Every structure is written in structure tokens, then in C-alpha cells.
């Protein structure tokens, strides 16, 4: 049973110009994204910078309002909820932000940051809050003695652990991880990824893991969705995608991942041109202007996601 279901999600940002701020166009940041997230599952969402991954995550939480589409979380239609109802649902659907510094209030110490969700959503005593904060700090690998320190007194990895503790404060069912390790050193990335995997196993959490580093996504994800210019072009289990990518864009992304073995030689896939503008995307398949396998139909007709078997979906006219 799906915990989170997203259908045909769209988010267009208006382009306003002139003295009267008239709308002159639309930036199609997300243009018809659909997927499901099961309980206890990690779904990786990958793609180049600017493809709309972060916009998908923030639209699900309604931190930015979607233009169209349906978002169902735990059998509730999030787009139909009023402000107070949505606030209650957000206790079960949290987010870990990309930047572990700007996402923390520099005027609040660690104890206040982690306790803020508890004060906003629960009626508990100061002692219960203090005990809960100390427990969460220990759980993410921080010392409770650091409770009075401020964000600038911590390293990047420690700040991200604070963000994780804050997301865990209300025992959520799912967490949107918006590139949670991209700003960290490689050795620290591994520690944080292992921490997230450990917490998922202990708490039966579901993750929507947004990233552009495919090697990290392979390590933590059960399924992977590949985005290009606001759309999902391939969706499969991690094993199927990494061993047999079907879409030419997925193949190019995977062949760009370095292999730590100089003896292994493989064919290089070099994409031509630049990523088209989301203001004026190409007709038909949005990838056809850079695709080495482009056919005549690709510029005329937009491909739809087709099931190739065993839950492997691809949007390409080659299949």
C-alpha cells in the first residue's frame, strides 16, 4: 500500500515583466510528475541541476503551491487541506534541507531548534521536551551536553545531524531528503547516509531521497526515478536501473559516474548541446535535442511512461 501518491504534479512559475507586472510566460519547473512511495521504502529522485527535483519535494509539502496535480499522503488529499489541517499532516511528513547552515536559525541554540516542532505540535512539559531533545541528539550521534550551543559552533556534518534530529522530533512516517549530503565532505556523506539507513530500519521511515549523485542514490534507494526537464523519463528498482538503464538520458548519467578502477574501460556517452530552457521546452520528447538515438517521431510526439516489466517504466519512443 502506498504511503505517498503523486499524480500529474505540475508547478509553473510565472514570468512577470513591465510596470504592471504582466505575465509574459511560464517556467515549467515540474511538468507532469507521477510516482508512489511505499511504507518503509526509499525512492531516489535524480537528475541534473535545474531539472525540478527540489521543486517536486517542496510542492508535495506545499511549501510552494503546486499549479496542478494530486498529492495523496496517508489517504489524505494534501491539496484539499486548509492551513490548520495541513499543519497537522506535516507532523508526519517532514523535510531535511540541502544546506545544513541556512536551514538552521542562527539565533536559536540546538535545544531550541530541535524542540521547536514539539512546542508547535504537542502539549508537553518542559522536562518532557528536554528529555526528548537529549534522546534525539544521542540518536543522531550528537552529545546532549552540546544542547546549549549554536549552529555556527558545529561542523557541516554535525549541523545536518541537527536537521535530521529536528525532522525526527514528531516521529514522522516519511521524510523528504532534499540533497541532504551534497554540501558535505565525502567521508561525512557516508556517515550521514549510514545514519539515515539505520534510522529508516529502526523507525520504518519512508524517504523521498533527492540527489544528483547517482552513486549515493544507489547505496540508499530501493527504487530510482530519473528526471529531465521537469518530467520523469525512467523509473525502476535500483538494481534494474543501474544494471540495465533503458532511457538514453539515464544511460548518459550512469556512464558519467567515475569507476575507481583504471583497468575498466567503457564506452563514453557525450550529450550534445545544452539543457533546453524550461520556459520554452522542445516539442515532443524534451530530450530529443540532445539524444543520440533521436528519431523523427521524437520531435513530434511526447512519449508516455511504459511498463517494460518488473516495475521498470520508461518514457522513450525506442520501446
Amino acid at each position: 500500500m502506498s504511503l505517498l501518491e503523486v499524480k500529474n504534479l505540475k508547478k509553473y512559475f510565472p514570468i512577470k515583466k513591465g510596470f504592471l507586472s504582466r505575465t509574459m510566460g511560464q517556467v515549467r519547473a515540474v511538468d507532469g510528475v507521477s510516482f508512489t512511495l511505499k511504507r518503509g521504502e526509499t525512492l531516489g529522485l535524480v537528475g541534473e541541476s535545474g531539472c525540478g527535483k527540489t521543486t517536486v519535494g517542496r510542492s508535495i509539502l506545499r511549501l510552494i503551491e503546486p499549479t496542478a496535480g494530486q498529492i495523496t499522503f496517508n489517504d489524505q488529499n494534501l491539496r484539499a487541506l486548509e492551513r490548520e489541517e495541513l499543519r497537522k499532516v506535516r507532523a508526519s511528513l517532514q523535510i531535511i534541507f540541502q544546506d545544513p547552515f541556512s536551514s538552521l536559525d542562527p539565533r536559536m541554540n540546538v535545544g531550541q531548534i530541535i524542540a521547536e516542532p514539539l512546542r508547535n505540535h504537542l502539549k508537553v512539559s518542559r522536562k518532557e521536551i528536554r528529555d526528548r531533545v537529549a534522546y534525539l541528539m544521542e540518536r543522531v550521534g550528537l552529545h546532549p551536553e552540546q544542547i546549549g550551543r549554536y549552529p555556527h559552533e558545529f561542523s557541516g556534518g554535525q549541523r545536518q545531524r541537527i536537521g535530521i534530529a529536528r525532522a525526527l522530533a514528531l516521529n514522522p512516517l516519511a521524510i523528504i531528503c532534499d540533497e541532504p549530503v551534497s554540501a558535505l565532505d565525502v567521508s561525512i556523506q557516508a556517515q550521514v547516509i549510514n545514519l539515515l539507513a539505520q534510522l529508516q530500519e529502526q523507525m520504518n521511515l519512508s524517504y523521498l531521497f533527492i540527489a544528483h549523485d547517482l552513486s549515493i542514490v544507489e547505496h540508499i534507494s530501493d527504487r530510482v526515478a530519473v528526471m529531465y526537464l521537469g518530467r520523469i523519463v525512467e523509473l525502476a528498482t535500483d538494481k534494474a536501473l543501474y544494471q540495465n538503464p533503458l532511457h538514453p538520458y539515464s544511460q548518459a548519467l550512469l556512464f558519467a559516474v567515475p569507476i575507481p578502477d583504471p583497468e575498466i574501460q567503457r564506452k563514453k556517452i557525450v550529450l550534445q548541446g545544452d539543457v533546453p530552457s524550461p520556459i520554452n521546452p522542445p516539442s515532443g520528447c524534451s530530450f530529443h535535442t540532445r539524444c543520440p538515438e533521436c528519431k523523427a517521431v521524437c520531435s513530434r510526439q511526447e512519449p508516455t511512461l511504459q511498463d517494460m516489466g518488473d516495475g521498470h517504466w520508461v518514457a522513450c519512443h525506442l520501446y
Side-chain angles (χ1 to χ4, degrees), residues 145-208:
E145 293 80 9
Q146 300 171 315
I147 195 169
R149 295 186 181 181
Y150 289 82
H152 72 273
E153 299 179 77
F154 293 88
S155 66
Q158 289 174 321
R159 287 196 289 262
Q160 196 59 289
R161 289 172 187 267
I162 296 169
I164 294 172
R166 178 176 60 185
L168 294 174
L170 297 171
N171 291 319
L173 298 174
I175 299 177
I176 296 173
C177 305
D178 184 11
E179 302 203 38
V181 297
S182 63
L184 308 177
D185 295 337
V186 174
S187 60
I188 305 302
Q189 287 182 358
Q191 294 176 20
V192 173
I193 290 296
N194 290 334
L195 172 63
L196 289 171
Q198 181 183 8
L199 291 169
Q200 181 178 40
E201 183 177 351
Q202 294 172 349
M203 303 176 67
N204 195 31
L205 293 167
S206 299
Y207 293 146
L208 175 61

Side-chain angles (χ1 to χ4, degrees), residues 38 222-223 235-241 244 246 306-314:
K38 301 175 184 176
D222 300 303
R223 291 186 300 140
L235 175 63
T237 63
D238 61 331
K239 183 177 180 180
L241 184 78
N244 184 33
L246 298 180
Q306 302 291 332
D307 189 358
M308 305 303 295
D310 296 324
H312 198 149
W313 297 75
V314 63

Side-chain angles (χ1 to χ4, degrees), residues 108-124:
M108 299 171 69
N109 63 38
V110 173
Q112 293 169 329
I113 290 171
I114 299 175
E116 189 174 23
L118 300 171
R119 292 195 179 98
N120 288 338
H121 289 269
L122 304 177
K123 294 181 179 179
V124 290

